[in-house]
Amino acid sequence: MQRRQFLSILGGGVVLAAAAGTGFALTRTPAKALEPWSLAGASPYSEPRMRALSYAILAPNPHNRQPWQVELRGEDTVVLTVDLDRLLPHTDPFSRQITIGLGCFLELMTMAAAETGHRVDLELFPGGSDPERLTAAPVAIARFVSDPSVRPDPLFAHVMARRSNKEPYDTARPVPDAALSAVLASARHGGRLGGANDPAEVASWRALTEQALQIEIDTPRTYKESVDLFRIGKAEVNANPDGIDFSGPMFEGLALIGQFSREVALDRTSMGFKQGEAAVIENTRTAMAHVWMVTPGNSRADQIAAGRDWLRANLAATGEGLGFQPLSQALQEYPEMAALYEDVHTRLAPDGGTVQMLVRLGYGPEVAVSPRWPLEAKLMEA
């Protein structure tokens, strides 16, 4: 959510003062849930696969569900599966976006492996795949091979600074052509990246993404899917470092006086719902450029490839100092979104293909990292 505007509307300054008075303002950072960022590549993970995986768990993914599970086999193999309890059946009924997130994971793992001179040979969906649903079968078998010809990927330098920036962007600062071109040139795995920074075209995409987000909010089951994943306050975030993070003294203060909770968020008559809705909708209106990805097909392999290139686009945007926030609601495959889904595909893929992702770009404030489960929580017994 657009935290700063949301809090100013709800009187965040007063709440912060109250929170400070109770003595907990300086202790509300969920340090345990943020620790994986400081441990990535650290000495506990010196084994090449573990080192690569310690970075891979930092990959972007829908609703921060972190749906990956990994098993180490033998001396050189990683088996990736999906945690079926972490799917998004209402907003992502065919698990296309979850699969894209798994592609982000695989690309980051591969990039991290290259830092230690290892090539990763991937076998995707060795037992076959189902376009309608994901199963417990392996998503990928990854074999690490020591290879002196492997060179580090320049984009890896931006991994620790990568964010999904959900704050307002500076509408007085346009995205330069050179920066947009750098993002569009980042794809390597077959995804076709397109983009726009022309004010008239940006205005058109602002309107469409706002309309799509409003549909998601106004559709009870899709909105509730997000609200159910709210993690409010340090204790909740540390206990479940996935989902949508609302930590810090302001949010805990709002919760303390009953102005922010999952129940309040679901009550469409409440001030919390109304102002929260206004805040997230306003975010779409600060986009200063948009980028999208189209793949020729929509197989599971295409979705993995899209995720790999989407991570690269995010890292390239980070390298250009740009904020990057996916706004792909119009690409979701449920009935209420069908008209916008068709509109986007008519505009961006008139000759066929699937529009996999849509993002807003701009210059925003610095934001904190997202919580993560530790790598050990994602390791499965052989």
Side-chain angles (χ1 to χ4, degrees):
M1 296 186 76
Q2 191 187 94
R3 289 172 165 83
R4 297 184 182 189
Q5 184 176 349
F6 177 66
L7 289 169
S8 66
I9 292 170
L10 288 185
V14 174
V15 173
L16 178 58
T22 67
F24 67 65
L26 299 178
T27 63
R28 295 300 93 195
T29 299
K32 177 182 174 184
L34 304 181
E35 191 175 33
W37 287 87
S38 61
L39 291 177
S43 56
Y45 304 126
S46 57
E47 195 270 342
R49 292 172 297 174
M50 291 290 284
R51 183 182 187 279
L53 290 168
S54 74
Y55 285 103
I57 61 171
L58 308 180
N61 61 102
H63 277 38
N64 196 28
R65 291 302 280 145
Q66 304 167 53
W68 36 75
Q69 298 177 142
V70 291
E71 175 191 329
L72 303 182
R73 290 185 183 172
E75 300 296 321
D76 63 359
T77 301
V78 171
V79 179
L80 172 67
T81 56
V82 61
D83 185 341
L84 298 177
D85 292 331
R86 296 183 178 278
L87 306 185
L88 299 165
H90 298 299
T91 54
D92 187 28
F94 304 118
S95 296
R96 179 186 59 82
Q97 294 178 93
I98 287 287
T99 306
I100 289 172
L102 295 170
C104 293
F105 179 95
L106 289 172
E107 181 68 3
L108 189 45
M109 182 185 74
T110 300
M111 294 172 73
E115 295 290 305
T116 58
H118 289 82
R119 183 183 80 244
V120 178
D121 295 335
L122 291 176
E123 182 182 1
L124 298 178
F125 299 99
S129 61
D130 184 339
E132 299 290 323
R133 64 189 185 95
L134 290 174
T135 70
V139 171
I141 296 177
R143 294 181 176 86
F144 282 57
V145 181
S146 181
D147 184 346
S149 70
V150 170
R151 295 291 178 266
D153 193 312
L155 290 178
F156 187 77
H158 308 302
V159 167
M160 302 310 291
R162 186 206 64 77
R163 307 284 188 270
S164 293
N165 192 324
K166 302 177 181 67
E167 295 291 341
Y169 296 161
D170 185 349
T171 55
R173 189 177 179 188
V175 173
D177 291 345
L180 180 60
S181 295
V183 176
L184 301 186
S186 62
R188 180 181 290 180
H189 300 289
R192 177 171 62 82
L193 289 170
N197 61 354
D198 174 75
E201 190 168 0
V202 167
S204 175
W205 287 113
R206 284 179 178 177
L208 184 140
T209 55
E210 176 180 339
Q211 185 180 358
L213 183 56
Q214 190 68 62
I215 290 172
E216 183 176 282
I217 293 170
D218 289 344
T219 303
R221 69 185 186 285
T222 58
Y223 176 60
K224 186 174 185 298
E225 187 168 73
S226 294
V227 173
D228 286 346
L229 295 173
F230 283 9
R231 312 298 189 219
I232 302 172
K234 173 183 175 179
E236 286 193 6
V237 173
N238 276 335
N240 288 289
D242 55 25
I244 303 171
D245 163 32
F246 291 97
S247 60
M250 289 187 179
F251 284 109
E252 294 207 35
L254 287 167
L256 191 65
I257 62 175
Q259 286 192 312
F260 187 56
S261 66
R262 282 175 286 276
E263 292 72 24
V264 167
L266 287 170
D267 179 2
R268 301 179 74 87
T269 68
S270 71
M271 183 63 70
F273 171 83
K274 292 175 182 178
Q275 301 300 350
E277 177 187 42
V280 296
I281 290 295
E282 182 63 25
N283 239 12
T284 65
R285 301 170 183 170
T286 71
M288 296 305 291
H290 294 86
V291 167
W292 50 82
M293 175 179 291
V294 181
T295 56
N298 194 30
S299 68
R300 292 299 181 190
D302 289 323
Q303 294 162 10
I304 290 289
R308 299 187 71 178
D309 278 338
W310 198 245
L311 173 80
R312 301 183 64 80
N314 197 165
L315 293 175
T318 302
E320 296 297 321
L322 290 167
F324 186 101
Q325 182 193 6
L327 287 175
S328 293
Q329 285 81 9
L331 308 179
Q332 294 169 345
E333 303 100 328
Y334 55 90
E336 292 84 351
M337 201 65 75
L340 284 186
Y341 182 93
E342 182 177 356
D343 183 12
V344 171
H345 281 76
T346 298
R347 293 170 65 174
L348 299 181
D351 300 322
T354 300
V355 185
Q356 299 286 1
M357 294 294 289
L358 178 62
V359 69
R360 73 174 179 121
L361 298 178
Y363 293 96
E366 291 188 13
V367 295
V369 297
S370 297
R372 285 293 187 274
W373 284 99
L375 174 54
E376 291 74 12
K378 296 296 182 178
L379 293 175
M380 308 297 293
E381 294 292 334

